[in-house]
Every structure is written in C-alpha cells, then in structure tokens.
Amino acid sequence: MALAISNTANIRVIENLRTAMLEEFQIHEDLELDISQLADADVSFLQLVVAARKLAVAEGKRFRLVAPAGPVFVSLLERAGFLAKGNADASHFWLEGGVQ
C-alpha cells in the first residue's frame, strides 16, 4: 500500500500525517511512502519517518519509499544531519529506496 504525501509535510500537518501512517500500519504489512509530490517539508516530517521506520522494525513490517528522495528533499536531509557520513542505513533508505 502506498501512502502519498502531497504538497506539505510540516509541523502544521504532522499530527494528521502521523495518524494516517499509523492507520496504514494497522491495516497493511507493507507500507510504501510516496514523497514524489512533496513540495514543503520540515524536520518534524523527517522525525516522523524515522519513527515509522523504527515501528516497522518493532512490528516486523516493511516500510520503504516508493522512489528515492529528490534533490530538494535531499537538501533538507543534509541540512538536518540525516545523511551524515557513517550513516549508511539512512542513506540507503532515503537515497536508494531501501526497505526497513
């Protein structure tokens, strides 16, 4: 199941996104996150995705991005320190569409 995040994923809407993701995790064993239409995101969204990755591991579910993060999103990841050297797992997830 792919959950599309369209346009905005910031602190103003993060609770709604969290609720939607939790509902999808309850229904499906696999969850794909589509961020291809995302135009505005902040660190709260990155934190939500990290939490979702941890939840997937804890519950034995699969969680991945539909496609690797695009250049604008990669810039946010870099500024927030999510792609720091030595964090191959995060790089694999965000940049290569790795499965959690």
Side-chain angles (χ1 to χ4, degrees):
M1 167 66 190
L3 177 62
I5 308 296
S6 58
N7 198 30
T8 302
N10 60 29
I11 194 70
R12 292 185 184 117
V13 298
I14 205 68
E15 185 60 33
N16 293 337
L17 294 175
R18 177 187 167 275
T19 299
M21 288 175 77
L22 286 173
E23 288 173 357
E24 293 300 323
F25 266 124
Q26 289 175 348
I27 297 169
H28 304 283
E29 290 298 312
D30 296 341
L31 179 61
E32 295 179 323
L33 193 61
D34 183 352
I35 60 172
S36 62
Q37 300 301 311
L38 194 56
D40 175 38
D42 65 13
V43 173
S44 67
F45 179 68
L46 300 179
Q47 292 170 327
L48 177 63
V49 173
V50 169
R53 292 178 67 199
K54 290 180 181 182
L55 178 63
V57 169
E59 294 190 0
K61 298 187 177 198
R62 290 173 28 117
F63 180 64
R64 69 180 197 90
L65 298 179
V66 169
V72 173
F73 203 76
V74 169
S75 177
L76 172 63
L77 290 163
E78 288 172 342
R79 288 190 317 272
F82 281 74
L83 298 179
K85 288 188 178 187
N87 194 349
D89 183 52
S91 293
H92 178 67
F93 178 80
W94 291 108
L95 305 178
E96 300 171 26
V99 174
Q100 189 61 45

